């Protein structure tokens, strides 16, 4: 038994050594990740569309309700436009640009990053038809999942659902406000008029969500089986207020985050995930950064509590909290939060840890966890290890970023990618026809969904590349969006610009 354990430890050491020696092309990963958002576009595609196997779709969205809801993103492998995950996707894309814009520009990808944000934010402007009306969803999961069709052939219901004064949805209004506030910061220099418009919508949406409180999944019942708001709406209202403070510098928004810190759970919840549903960790990490500025000293008592919870999240990711409060890991070291689409939690964690590592470095600070102190370097290296696992540093040598490297998932659970391109074959494919011929096909998808990050391996690092295995092979916009900035940062870190010496 001892010899077996010794043999295992040697193999593990060899694996760790060989995986750390892999040098990844992060610039290529960044370029591919931004390409993915073009594959997820709904609506009339522009002249510069680079994903050529896609064509126009959803051109009558909102027509039944007398409103123009053409555009936006399909969230995953289906064709429903779900407002909450779409808004979170745009928030994270915008945050990537705000924090790592220089690094994205260094690769020459800023224009594509702006396009990815704007495709979502343009849709939110359309969907916010009056101060207290926001269209929450187009299509419904039940009828959509009955069919396996290309988006260009869609025959499913395109009914639209809204939140308003009588049917509140503070979580959806809050996240959409956060997305538009963050986007307004991202566009401030390059497109000030557009930035101002986004900020106007963000402020109205926040006021709407705050005044008419309620969970959106109670008002829009069809979303319950797909994107139920388990965490409630308090985290989104705090999150929106904080982004609006960053966008406007208006004290009222910061006071909201301070005054409701306790009653809304901002300093009460110690959370070990950050996602489209649960915003507390992101909120706590941004709030922590405010402690550095002199003008925030009067709020230091509450901001310290935010920081304590932020560092609980970080320590739990690093396996340095007390026992059961740590995030689980697979044998090869991947963060493991839950079975279904686990990669979403890995990519958001990688973003928050990198962001906080930058903060610690600039402020020359360390974190004290239950299991010891952590510096910015340890934080950064761990975040990098998670990204490298995604790109192929894992026992299967599998890249979970589709199209990256020699070995990646070929049977992504995605209607459009799994059926012959509409551009190649315009013959109509009926609702269940896709199941009959394309869904059950053993071969690779005819269209490569470049830049998609799939659900990923299970808790033993195993992965079954099967189209029907949607738990592992379906990709989502919010899996990829947090990594846009991180790929740029890692590329910049590995390939810093040459400074001329005189």
């Amino acid at each position: 038994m001892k010899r077996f354990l010794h043999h295992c430890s040697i193999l593990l050491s060899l694996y760790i050594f060989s995986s750390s020696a892999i040098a990844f092309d992060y610039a290529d990963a960044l370029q591919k990740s931004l390409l993915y958002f073009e594959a997820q576009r709904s609506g009339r595609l522009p002249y510069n569309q680079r994903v050529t196997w896609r064509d126009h779709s959803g051109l009558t969205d909102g027509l039944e309700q007398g409103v123009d809801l053409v555009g936006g993103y399909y969230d995953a492998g289906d064709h429903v436009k779900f407002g909450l995950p779409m808004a979170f996707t745009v928030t994270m894309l915008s945050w990537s640009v705000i924090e790592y814009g220089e690094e994205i520009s260094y690769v020459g990808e800023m224009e594509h990053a702006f396009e990815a944000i704007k495709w979502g934010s343009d849709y939110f402007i359309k969907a916010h038809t009056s101060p207290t009306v926001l269209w929450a969803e187009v299509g419904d999961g039940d009828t959509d999942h009955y069919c396996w069709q290309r988006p260009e052939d869609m025959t499913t219901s395109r009914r639209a659902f809204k939140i308003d004064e009588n049917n509140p949805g503070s979580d959806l209004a809050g996240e959409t406000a956060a997305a538009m506030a963050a986007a307004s910061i991202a566009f401030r220099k390059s497109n000030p008029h557009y930035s101002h418009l986004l900020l106007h919508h963000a402020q109205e949406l926040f006021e709407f969500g705050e005044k008419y409180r309620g969970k959106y999944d109670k008002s829009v019942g069809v979303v319950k089986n797909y994107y139920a708001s388990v965490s409630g709406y308090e985290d989104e209202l705090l999150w929106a207020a904080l982004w609006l403070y960053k966008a406007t510098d208006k004290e009222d928004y910061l006071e909201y985050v301070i005054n409701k810190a306790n009653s809304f759970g901002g300093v009460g919840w110690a959370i070990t995930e950050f996602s489209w549903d649960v915003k507390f960790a992101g909120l706590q990490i941004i709030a922590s950064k405010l402690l550095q500025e002199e003008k925030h000293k009067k709020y230091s008592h509450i901001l310290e509590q935010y920081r304590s919870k932020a560092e609980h999240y970080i320590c739990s990711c690093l396996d340095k909290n007390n026992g059961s409060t740590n995030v689980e890991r697979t044998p090869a070291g991947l963060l493991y939060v839950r079975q279904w689409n686990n990669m979403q939690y890995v990519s958001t964690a990688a973003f928050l840890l990198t962001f906080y590592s930058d903060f610690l470095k600039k402020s020359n600070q360390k974190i004290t966890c239950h299991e010891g102190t952590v510096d910015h370097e340890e934080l950064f290296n761990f975040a990098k290890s998670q990204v490298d696992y995604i790109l192929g540093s894992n026992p299967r040598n599998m890249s979970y970023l589709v199209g990256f490297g020699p070995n990646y998932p070929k049977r992504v659970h995605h209607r459009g990618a799994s059926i012959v391109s509409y551009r190649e074959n315009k013959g109509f494919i009926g609702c269940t026809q896709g199941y009959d011929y394309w869904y059950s096909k053993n071969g690779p998808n005819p269209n490569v969904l470049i830049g998609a990050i799939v659900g990923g391996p299970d808790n033993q690092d195993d992965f079954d590349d099967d189209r029907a295995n949607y738990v592992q092979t379906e990709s989502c916009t919010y899996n990829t969006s947090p990594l846009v900035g991180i790929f740029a940062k890692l590329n910049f870190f590995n390939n810093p610009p040459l400074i001329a010496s005189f």
Side-chain angles (χ1 to χ4, degrees):
M1 183 65 180
K2 279 184 182 173
R3 281 183 63 194
F4 172 74
L5 289 173
H6 177 66
H7 180 63
C8 283
S9 70
I10 290 172
L11 284 176
L12 185 60
S13 309
L14 286 171
Y15 164 67
I16 290 167
F17 174 77
S18 65
S19 67
S20 63
I22 298 170
F24 290 112
D25 186 345
Y26 298 112
D28 184 47
L30 168 62
Q31 288 157 352
K32 285 179 161 64
S33 67
L34 285 167
L35 203 57
Y36 166 64
F37 294 98
E38 297 191 20
Q40 294 302 110
R41 285 172 169 171
S42 181
R44 186 168 293 280
L45 303 185
Y47 72 94
N48 61 347
Q49 170 79 10
R50 295 177 296 160
V51 178
T52 54
W53 52 267
R54 281 294 325 281
D55 211 333
H56 311 314
S57 63
L59 298 181
T60 60
D61 284 0
L63 188 65
E64 215 179 300
Q65 285 74 32
V67 59
D68 175 10
L69 295 175
V70 176
Y73 287 115
Y74 303 121
D75 72 303
D78 54 20
H79 302 139
V80 184
K81 294 193 303 208
F82 292 105
L84 189 57
M86 196 194 304
F88 182 67
T89 296
V90 170
T91 307
M92 294 311 295
L93 281 169
S94 301
W95 197 1
S96 284
V97 164
I98 292 163
E99 295 301 326
Y100 302 110
E102 187 186 339
E103 292 87 341
I104 294 168
S105 295
Y106 185 54
V107 186
E109 286 294 312
M110 188 56 96
E111 190 183 334
H112 294 133
F114 279 143
E115 285 172 359
I117 295 167
K118 198 167 184 292
W119 197 266
S121 56
D122 280 353
Y123 174 76
F124 297 141
I125 291 169
K126 286 180 169 187
H128 185 215
T129 49
S130 76
T132 57
V133 174
L134 176 65
W135 292 87
E137 182 176 331
V138 180
D140 75 87
D142 295 343
T143 59
D144 184 272
H145 286 204
Y146 180 71
C147 297
W148 194 265
Q149 287 174 291
R150 302 175 295 200
E152 296 84 3
D153 292 327
M154 229 175 339
T155 56
T156 50
S157 164
R158 299 306 287 170
R159 184 182 166 192
F161 303 86
K162 67 180 176 180
I163 56 170
D164 56 26
E165 295 153 321
N166 301 317
N167 306 282
S170 304
D171 28 27
L172 177 63
E175 184 59 53
T176 312
M180 293 174 104
S184 81
I185 302 170
F187 282 108
R188 189 177 284 157
K189 284 182 185 169
S190 65
N191 195 340
H193 173 74
Y194 187 63
S195 169
H196 183 74
L197 177 65
L198 290 171
L199 191 53
H200 171 72
H201 280 280
Q203 289 173 307
E204 281 195 346
L205 280 165
F206 175 70
E207 284 169 30
F208 166 43
E210 161 57 24
K211 187 175 180 182
Y212 302 97
R213 291 190 198 168
K215 282 174 59 172
Y216 92 117
D217 57 12
K218 282 190 175 174
S219 298
V220 183
V222 292
V223 81
K224 268 206 170 82
N225 291 334
Y226 303 94
Y227 288 103
S229 181
V230 178
S231 71
Y233 58 75
E234 291 88 352
D235 53 336
E236 276 85 10
L237 287 177
L238 291 169
W239 178 239
L242 193 52
W243 275 107
L244 279 162
Y245 176 63
K246 282 170 70 71
T248 64
D249 211 28
K250 285 184 180 169
E251 196 89 356
D252 291 0
Y253 292 119
L254 179 56
E255 284 178 356
Y256 186 93
V257 176
I258 298 297
N259 294 338
K260 296 202 179 311
N262 281 296
S263 59
F264 276 15
V267 296
W269 284 104
I271 298 286
T272 53
E273 71 172 72
F274 175 51
S275 67
W276 58 264
D277 180 31
V278 189
K279 310 296 154 43
F280 287 114
L283 162 78
Q284 290 155 355
I285 274 173
I286 294 177
S288 303
K289 218 178 158 187
L290 300 179
L291 271 166
Q292 291 305 107
E293 296 175 50
E294 192 63 37
K295 65 178 180 178
H296 300 131
K297 290 289 185 234
K298 60 182 170 180
Y299 303 122
S300 59
H301 174 61
I302 298 294
L303 291 175
E304 285 287 2
Q305 291 179 54
Y306 272 115
R307 179 170 182 158
S308 168
K309 291 298 185 286
E311 296 188 353
H312 177 277
Y313 170 82
I314 289 161
C315 296
S316 71
C317 288
L318 293 171
D319 203 30
K320 287 180 181 284
N321 265 343
N322 196 5
S324 62
T325 60
N326 288 321
V327 180
E328 279 182 45
R329 294 190 195 178
T330 67
L334 183 72
L335 291 171
Y336 192 81
V337 175
R338 59 179 60 89
Q339 182 185 17
W340 193 323
N341 188 21
N342 181 61
M343 278 307 186
Q344 64 176 306
Y345 310 109
V346 180
S347 62
T348 52
F351 185 94
L352 292 187
L353 296 178
T354 304
F355 175 80
Y356 211 76
S357 165
D358 290 344
F359 164 58
L360 292 179
K361 186 179 182 181
K362 282 173 194 162
S363 57
N364 196 25
Q365 294 181 68
K366 293 182 181 180
I367 296 175
T368 303
C369 297
H370 186 272
E371 306 291 333
T373 57
V374 177
D375 62 12
H376 72 89
E377 215 168 335
E378 184 177 346
L379 207 48
F380 175 73
N381 288 337
F382 180 71
K384 181 179 179 294
S385 76
Q386 298 300 296
V387 175
D388 288 350
Y389 185 110
I390 292 171
L391 295 181
S393 236
N394 55 63
R396 300 179 64 90
N397 295 316
M398 164 79 78
S399 164
Y400 294 103
L401 178 72
V402 176
F404 182 85
N407 182 28
Y408 54 83
K410 305 291 197 298
R411 298 165 187 82
V412 182
H413 180 93
H414 188 278
R415 289 156 177 73
S418 69
I419 301 174
V420 64
S421 167
Y422 181 80
R423 298 267 178 113
E424 280 180 38
N425 181 357
K426 288 186 167 54
F428 175 74
I429 293 170
C431 168
T432 55
Q433 211 176 331
Y435 278 118
D436 296 341
Y437 185 69
W438 296 100
Y439 182 76
S440 54
K441 224 177 185 181
N442 283 328
N445 289 346
N447 310 304
V448 181
L449 191 64
I450 292 171
I453 290 178
V454 296
D458 64 15
N459 61 355
Q460 295 300 309
D461 299 295
D462 290 327
F463 179 79
D464 182 14
D465 186 12
D466 181 342
R467 205 169 291 116
N469 178 20
Y470 48 82
V471 168
Q472 291 189 314
T473 63
E474 190 166 20
S475 61
C476 300
T477 56
Y478 45 87
N479 294 16
T480 298
S481 58
L483 290 179
V484 167
I486 306 309
F487 289 147
K489 159 92 179 177
L490 289 170
N491 173 67
F492 199 79
F493 183 79
N494 277 11
N495 307 288
L498 295 170
I499 300 168
S501 56
F502 296 95

